[in-house]
Amino acid sequence: MTTALYTHDDCLGHVTPPGHPEQVARYEAVVAALAGFEGLDRREAPFGTDAHVLRCHPEAYLERVKAAVPGKGWVALDADTHLSPGSLTAAWRAVGACFAAVDAVMAGEVSNAFVGCRPPGHHAERQTAMGFCIFGNVAIAAKHALEVHGMERVAIVDFDVHHGNGTQDLLWDEARTLFISSHQMPLYPGSGAVHETGAHDNVINVPLAPMTGGREMRRVYEAEILPALDDYDPQFVLISAGFDAHEADPLANLNWSTADFEWVTRAICEVADARAGGRVVSTLEGGYDLQALGDSVAAHVRVLMERGG
């Protein structure tokens, strides 16, 4: 089997204001970085549906987002999160790609998958768009694996430099999931302390001090995160793949290298191979230096292909 790549040019239609870091060029950098990868199973992201979003968000929130989409220009949902005329279509593609990727892996069509869509999702809370995120893409994927495919233990590992407060909020009371987040602290959004453990001890937060480099990151993953993931015995592993812990990223202060993203991807996949039959779906979150983003995505997907080959 192989690795599926889900993209759609509708992601170009989510246009943010000039100077915004979550820009169209991010999607272009991801697509360009993977252009020469032979053997990738390239698939168009389908549309998500109301039913998918409603697994995690209330109807009132969904309707509020729909009503806010402008005919031209931008509407700010919060100080950082904007809608343009094409934003909702792009968000539907990101949601649709996540559930389609879960379906493809569960059906045995592919070994694993990477969702290279935008906008990202891990900051979107139940009733609040924030941090460039509209819908909780990875949490929706987890709910899909649970409710459609009958999974009983779904793990999410989030190595974005920012805490995945939205995923934590959406799955706080979901006993069938384990959410593990490594992130810089202090940093936006201010959540992610060790004492935030979920309603069922189903959340593990591992804050990292500013300037933490790859050697220390690897030590923390080997001592805390990977054993916790292994002990959970997941049936399916989801990755919130943010690449903004890279030393070149302008929005944070961790010092990971491209090789560190390769290492952490391989380490997570090794646990998934041992515990979850290799079932992994990774979805794009942050990463705002375009060269570092492209290089890191390439390294990440190369490992997925290596594990899935």
Side-chain angles (χ1 to χ4, degrees):
M1 289 190 291
T2 186
T3 296
L5 169 65
Y6 286 86
T7 58
H8 200 287
D9 282 352
D10 280 350
C11 295
L12 298 168
H14 174 49
V15 180
T16 51
H20 196 287
E22 208 297 282
Q23 56 183 303
V24 166
R26 295 185 68 239
Y27 177 78
E28 294 171 331
V30 168
V31 171
L34 300 176
F37 278 49
E38 295 184 7
L40 265 179
D41 185 341
R42 299 173 187 273
R43 302 186 174 198
E44 282 201 343
F47 260 99
T49 68
D50 286 12
H52 291 109
V53 172
L54 294 175
R55 293 192 193 282
C56 286
H57 299 279
E59 187 171 5
Y61 172 72
L62 175 57
E63 294 305 317
R64 191 163 71 248
V65 171
K66 288 180 180 179
V69 176
K72 59 180 180 179
W74 298 279
V75 166
L77 297 178
D78 81 343
D80 301 309
T81 312
H82 297 78
L83 295 177
S84 66
S87 294
L88 187 57
T89 298
W92 283 129
R93 295 292 185 186
V95 168
C98 285
F99 80 74
V102 170
D103 288 346
V105 171
M106 288 302 303
E109 297 172 8
V110 295
S111 298
N112 54 46
F114 178 67
V115 175
C117 295
R118 58 181 286 275
H122 76 150
H123 291 310
E125 297 183 344
R126 289 190 75 251
Q127 301 189 63
T128 307
M130 59 184 292
F132 316 156
C133 302
I134 299 169
F135 300 132
N137 302 329
V138 76
I140 292 169
K143 284 284 197 176
H144 187 74
L146 294 168
E147 296 175 10
V148 174
H149 295 286
M151 296 288 98
E152 296 176 346
R153 295 180 308 282
V154 175
I156 301 170
V157 181
D158 184 336
F159 55 69
D160 190 282
V161 77
H162 303 95
H163 178 240
N165 60 295
T167 307
Q168 176 173 291
D169 179 57
L170 295 171
L171 299 177
W172 183 267
D173 198 33
E174 178 49 79
R176 299 170 292 175
T177 60
L178 176 67
F179 175 59
I180 307 175
S181 176
S182 68
H183 47 271
Q184 180 182 324
M185 182 177 279
L187 190 66
Y188 179 91
S191 55
V194 172
H195 65 78
E196 299 169 24
T197 57
H200 307 279
D201 289 327
N202 57 316
V203 172
I204 299 173
N205 285 308
V206 184
L208 302 173
M211 309 311 292
T212 295
R215 180 178 297 180
E216 176 63 12
M217 177 276 288
R218 296 183 191 204
R219 187 197 67 77
V220 168
Y221 266 77
E222 289 176 333
E224 300 180 47
I225 293 174
L226 297 172
L229 180 62
D230 187 69
D231 288 347
Y232 182 64
D233 191 21
Q235 297 168 309
F236 203 107
V237 176
L238 296 162
I239 302 175
S240 266
F243 299 98
D244 39 6
H246 196 285
E247 58 195 351
D249 199 89
L251 297 191
N253 307 105
L254 294 188
N255 288 329
W256 299 14
S257 68
T258 301
D260 291 322
F261 289 107
E262 178 180 348
W263 181 90
V264 75
T265 304
R266 182 172 289 109
I268 294 167
C269 287
E270 286 174 353
V271 178
D273 285 348
R275 295 295 189 180
R279 289 185 289 270
V280 173
V281 168
S282 174
T283 185
L284 179 67
E285 300 288 0
Y288 304 101
D289 179 274
L290 298 180
Q291 185 64 54
L293 173 62
D295 292 346
S296 300
V297 165
H300 179 69
V301 172
R302 194 174 292 116
V303 174
L304 293 179
M305 295 178 71
E306 165 196 309
R307 308 305 297 190

